[in-house]
Amino acid sequence: MTRRGSALELAVLGMLADAPMHGYELRKRLSELQGRRLLSFGSLYPCLKALVKAGHVTAETPAGTGRRARIVYQLTASGKEHLADLLGSADATAWNDDTFDIRFALFARTASPTRVRILEGRRSRLEERALNLRTATARGIQRMDDYTSELQRHGLESTEREISWLTDLIDKERLAQQSEREQAAAPTDPPSTSAPSSENES
Amino acid sequence: MTRRGSALELAVLGMLADAPMHGYELRKRLSELQGRRLLSFGSLYPCLKALVKAGHVTAETPAGTGRRARIVYQLTASGKEHLADLLGSADATAWNDDTFDIRFALFARTASPTRVRILEGRRSRLEERALNLRTATARGIQRMDDYTSELQRHGLESTEREISWLTDLIDKERLAQQSEREQAAAPTDPPSTSAPSSENES
DNA sequence: GTTAGCATGTAAGGAGTTACATGATTTT
DNA sequence: AAAATCATGTAACTCCTTACATGCTAAC
């Protein structure tokens, strides 16, 4: 049950939750999600096969459509459950460079508190990276050539930019949560202003 | 000869070209180059071992220094040659997301025409990605939720920013090449005014 | 009727991680 | 002397890619 999910497995389940598809198209959609280069078939098909074996998707071959096999993959109930399970978790893998993008792309199916946890986790990872870059720059002033320091400068700038992107998203998410709560609780309740903007855990 | 060079191998050779070092420190420097998280020992030591076996580095244990083994790795003549060889090449791997950073960090040891080729290769890869993102956005207007389109928007913005960073670097590199050529050719030659007056430099 | 492109798959291997194992040195 | 940190190393495993192999359909 809920066996470990690689980023790819999650991505496939997420795509199939939108609509049943055959592998070739799945690959196209997957790579246009980000600008990423095409996923190899050597990854995709074994992954689909494993999902079928696990009972998370069914592989149907529509009869007599012409056009060769074109196996259409579709989520099962168990697959939907598994996907919901994966989307509910917010462990460190969710803000791991390679996984974050797909997690974000599936935010529409993710609960708001989980969204916030993922965004914050990602942000704190990037903050750690920014710190590393700053101390490296400070420490290495003497022994660094222009290109190395330019690389670090640019890396720091990109990182900081992404941090502020995340901060905006987190704020928006919080606001949306709050107005939702207000609507649910009491339409005339004034906002309590106390939200203490906690640290993020390491 | 000059057997295949993974990004890691190149990085290690590049670091050791600066100064002999032991593995533990190598790891630290390697990861502060970018903000990357620490390279695992399970990668580093086998790589060093392979380089020793290939004759590109020597592993010396300075006697009686205290402090346990602390094997100091140092480039051999063959290693320097191999490094020069790797730095001279500008094949597609040089602008592969994961390799570009280390290639860039070693630009001080790279010939200027090679630098330009790498920067251009990287840029054209990013342009391809930007194109993919734009067409995906245009095509998917109907069936995309807010988060997916926000991801693509942000990805496109970052990509465009990096493209213009690269463009600036390419221009600078070209200008430097040109003034070098002018100096070599005729010291009294007036500047030909054709210089396309790139964006303002930082 | 042969080439080009769609579509699915398998086998081998590369590159790196985690987890484990060991030992020396410094700190508490 | 126990604990933390420095330092090196190995084994198993994951995830993905490349290269190969197959067959069907559409176009020339």
Side-chain angles (χ1 to χ4, degrees):
Chain A
M1 32 145 69
T2 62
R3 298 243 37 79
R4 60 125 180 308
S6 67
L8 179 53
E9 191 174 316
L10 175 62
V12 166
L13 291 171
M15 288 290 108
L16 291 181
D18 267 354
M21 252 177 282
H22 61 279
Y24 214 81
E25 194 186 347
L26 195 50
R27 177 168 105 131
K28 244 186 303 180
R29 292 234 200 148
L30 237 22
S31 34
E32 82 190 15
L33 238 187
Q34 320 147 316
R36 291 273 287 269
R37 82 161 166 297
L38 290 168
L39 176 72
S40 72
F41 294 119
S43 289
L44 179 57
Y45 286 115
C47 174
L48 282 167
K49 219 178 173 184
L51 286 173
V52 169
K53 196 175 170 188
H56 295 322
V57 315
T58 56
E60 275 178 84
T61 313
T65 358
R67 278 195 98 70
R68 204 219 157 164
R70 265 170 84 108
I71 299 171
V72 174
Y73 297 94
Q74 185 158 12
L75 275 196
T76 63
S78 149
K80 283 174 195 166
E81 205 182 311
H82 186 204
L83 176 58
D85 221 54
L86 291 174
L87 288 179
S89 84
D91 52 4
T93 64
W95 42 82
N96 244 14
D97 274 355
D98 31 326
T99 312
F100 173 75
D101 279 2
I102 180 65
R103 288 302 305 251
F104 188 90
L106 298 177
F107 262 16
R109 298 174 177 278
T110 305
S112 182
T114 310
R115 292 202 286 252
V116 172
R117 254 181 298 144
I118 291 174
L119 292 170
E120 284 175 340
R122 174 75 180 161
R123 183 174 58 177
S124 90
R125 158 147 313 189
L126 291 181
E127 265 159 0
E128 190 191 332
R129 173 196 289 223
L131 189 64
N132 285 345
L133 283 169
R134 271 188 281 262
T135 63
T137 303
R139 214 154 25 72
I141 276 177
Q142 303 285 19
R143 63 162 189 247
M144 248 182 342
D145 59 89
D146 291 350
Y147 288 107
T148 303
S149 61
E150 174 60 19
L151 179 63
Q152 289 184 348
R153 195 204 55 74
H154 176 249
L156 183 57
E157 191 194 306
S158 307
T159 305
E160 279 169 348
R161 204 174 288 279
E162 192 159 349
I163 287 172
S164 76
W165 178 65
L166 289 166
T167 299
D168 287 355
L169 289 169
I170 291 166
D171 289 347
K172 269 188 215 162
E173 204 68 54
R174 286 247 171 78
L175 280 175
Q177 280 181 4
Q178 195 174 337
S179 67
E180 218 170 272
R181 242 171 315 169
E182 273 162 25
Q183 287 220 337
T188 52
D189 207 338
S192 81
T193 76
S194 71
S197 157
S198 71
E199 332 258 293
N200 24 24
E201 9 95 36
S202 51
Chain B
M1 38 173 52
T2 63
R3 298 245 38 80
R4 59 127 187 307
S6 67
L8 178 54
E9 191 175 315
L10 175 62
V12 167
L13 290 172
M15 288 291 107
L16 291 181
D18 267 355
M21 252 177 281
H22 60 279
Y24 213 82
E25 194 186 347
L26 196 49
R27 178 167 106 131
K28 245 186 302 181
R29 292 234 199 149
L30 238 21
S31 33
E32 83 189 15
L33 237 188
Q34 320 147 316
R36 290 273 287 270
R37 81 161 165 297
L38 290 169
L39 176 72
S40 71
F41 294 120
S43 288
L44 178 58
Y45 286 115
C47 174
L48 282 166
K49 218 177 174 185
L51 286 172
V52 169
K53 196 175 171 188
H56 295 322
V57 315
T58 56
E60 276 179 85
T61 313
T65 358
R67 279 195 94 68
R68 200 211 163 173
R70 266 170 83 108
I71 298 171
V72 173
Y73 296 95
Q74 184 157 13
L75 276 196
T76 64
S78 149
K80 282 175 195 166
E81 205 181 312
H82 187 203
L83 176 59
D85 221 53
L86 291 175
L87 289 179
S89 84
D91 53 4
T93 64
W95 42 82
N96 245 14
D97 275 356
D98 31 325
T99 312
F100 173 75
D101 279 2
I102 179 65
R103 287 304 303 252
F104 188 89
L106 298 177
F107 262 17
R109 298 175 177 278
T110 306
S112 181
T114 310
R115 293 201 285 251
V116 172
R117 254 181 299 143
I118 291 174
L119 292 170
E120 284 174 340
R122 174 74 180 161
R123 183 174 58 177
S124 89
R125 159 146 311 187
L126 291 181
E127 265 158 1
E128 190 191 333
R129 173 195 288 224
L131 189 64
N132 285 344
L133 283 170
R134 271 187 281 262
T135 64
T137 304
R139 216 155 24 71
I141 278 177
Q142 303 285 19
R143 63 160 190 250
M144 249 183 340
D145 60 89
D146 291 352
Y147 289 107
T148 303
S149 62
E150 174 59 21
L151 179 63
Q152 290 184 348
R153 194 203 56 72
H154 176 249
L156 184 57
E157 192 195 303
S158 307
T159 304
E160 279 169 347
R161 204 173 288 281
E162 192 160 349
I163 287 172
S164 76
W165 178 66
L166 289 166
T167 298
D168 286 355
L169 289 169
I170 290 166
D171 288 347
K172 269 188 214 164
E173 203 68 55
R174 285 247 172 78
L175 280 176
Q177 280 180 5
Q178 194 175 338
S179 67
E180 218 170 272
R181 242 170 316 173
E182 272 163 26
Q183 286 221 339
T188 51
D189 208 337
S192 77
T193 75
S194 70
S197 162
S198 66
E199 321 281 281
N200 45 7
E201 34 148 357
S202 49

